[in-house]
Amino acid sequence: MEAKVLHKLQCPTWIDFEKFPRKSSGSVRFSRRMREEKRLRVLISAQMEPDIASNQRSYDSVKVSCTFNSFSASVLESGNVHAPIDEAQVLKNKSQEIEPYLSGRCIYLVGMMGSGKTTVGKILSGVLGYSFFDCDTLIEQSVDGTSVAEIFKLYGEGFFREKETEVLQKLSLMRQLVVSTGGGAVTQPINWRYMQKGISVWLDVPLEALAQRIAAVGTDSRPLLHQCESGDAYTEALNRLSTLWEERGEAYANANARVSLENIAVKLGHKDVSSLTPVTIAIEALEQIEGFLKEEDDMAIAGY
């Protein structure tokens, strides 16, 4: 695998936040004083070069934006997200509450293809000050830049799964990472052994919503869906996703924390999950991680 992998990531910048009041998070166990610099972290687009050997990041051109609109399927696929100030503040507060208790452990995002692992992962890495890695991108780099679709075509799924395990093994030796895993990574027990060194988070998205997202952007980059028979894109995607769910559903439930988009929508009074923003999902992910950490701490106190 190449030592360095070039990504276009979401990375943080800072703006003065003194004029905005701090909102109480309502947490007791994880409450702590604000850091000395009361500044707002805003997600921006930048060219980033993470170094897999040193776990360091360098920056090239940076473009800042605080605009916010509804998020389309293409946005969820690309990972280009901008947060409004109120959501960004909630995200910042929650990250500051739990970051000390993560103790540098990596966060592994699991879930079906199209569930937003890359988009949410970049948001989490930015707000926590972690580095972000996408397993599929690293696999492509290890095969001389060959795309995932071409790897499947030339070498088969078995070869791809072997490379996937190699990537997770290397990442498991590192700290302070947010990792977006492939949809099928959960099917290999050895991969769970590596992910258990960190905290695994399942992004649970209804199949109908996944099919809508995938149909909107196409399946060319998704070999397991591109095999579908001819027909309308949504029905094809939904049928294939249903089959994959039967194979993987129970495995996703092994994750330490579950982020249910249906539950978020109900809690916020939304009619369906399509109106949820990636930042809202990232906030819920932090809350679920917080819940896992509390359970873990309680079990340690009880002597389990």
Side-chain angles (χ1 to χ4, degrees), residues 194-294:
Y194 297 133
M195 289 191 288
Q196 283 171 356
K197 296 182 180 180
I199 298 172
S200 53
V201 180
W202 171 24
L203 299 188
D204 185 8
V205 183
L207 295 184
E208 295 79 8
L210 292 177
Q212 289 174 350
R213 293 180 185 178
I214 293 169
V217 298
T219 61
D220 288 348
S221 64
R222 302 183 183 282
L224 292 181
L225 288 185
H226 200 51
Q227 301 168 0
C228 295
E229 300 176 356
S230 59
D232 73 275
Y234 171 78
T235 301
E236 286 182 356
L238 182 59
N239 289 341
R240 184 57 179 151
L241 286 169
S242 297
T243 299
L244 291 174
W245 173 256
E246 291 296 323
E247 300 170 359
R248 303 171 178 177
E250 292 184 3
Y252 290 130
N254 290 323
N256 299 128
R258 172 177 173 249
V259 177
S260 168
L261 268 65
E262 287 186 325
N263 289 349
I264 302 173
V266 170
K267 181 169 63 175
L268 298 180
H270 292 274
K271 292 182 179 179
D272 57 57
V273 303
S274 63
S275 58
L276 299 177
T277 70
V279 176
T280 295
I281 298 168
I283 292 170
E284 179 69 15
L286 290 175
E287 291 178 350
Q288 294 302 320
I289 291 171
E290 180 182 47
F292 166 73
L293 291 171
K294 185 178 186 304

Side-chain angles (χ1 to χ4, degrees), residues 24 33 54 132 155 170 193 204 216 221 223 260 279:
S24 174
R33 291 187 177 182
S54 64
F132 173 82
Y155 307 109
K170 291 178 180 179
R193 189 176 77 182
D204 185 8
S221 64
S260 168
V279 176

Side-chain angles (χ1 to χ4, degrees), residues 43 71 81-84 87-88 91 123 277-284:
L43 299 175
F71 294 92
V81 178
H82 305 289
E87 276 195 325
L91 186 70
I123 295 172
T277 70
V279 176
T280 295
I281 298 168
I283 292 170
E284 179 69 15

Side-chain angles (χ1 to χ4, degrees), residues 35 54-57 99-100 102-108 124-125 128-133 171-179 197-198:
R35 292 173 179 171
S54 64
N55 197 20
Q56 298 296 316
R57 297 177 290 183
E99 190 273 333
L102 288 172
S103 302
R105 282 185 289 180
C106 296
I107 295 172
Y108 296 90
L124 291 175
S125 66
L128 290 170
Y130 278 26
S131 296
F132 173 82
F133 285 106
L171 293 176
S172 72
L173 301 176
M174 303 171 67
R175 295 173 62 79
Q176 294 187 316
L177 304 180
V178 175
V179 179
K197 296 182 180 180

Side-chain angles (χ1 to χ4, degrees), residues 104-117:
R105 282 185 289 180
C106 296
I107 295 172
Y108 296 90
L109 299 179
V110 302
M112 294 283 283
M113 60 184 75
S115 59
K117 298 186 294 291

Side-chain angles (χ1 to χ4, degrees), residues 23-34:
K23 296 181 181 179
S24 174
S25 65
S27 172
V28 176
R29 177 178 180 271
F30 291 113
S31 62
R32 70 191 194 96
R33 291 187 177 182
M34 289 280 286

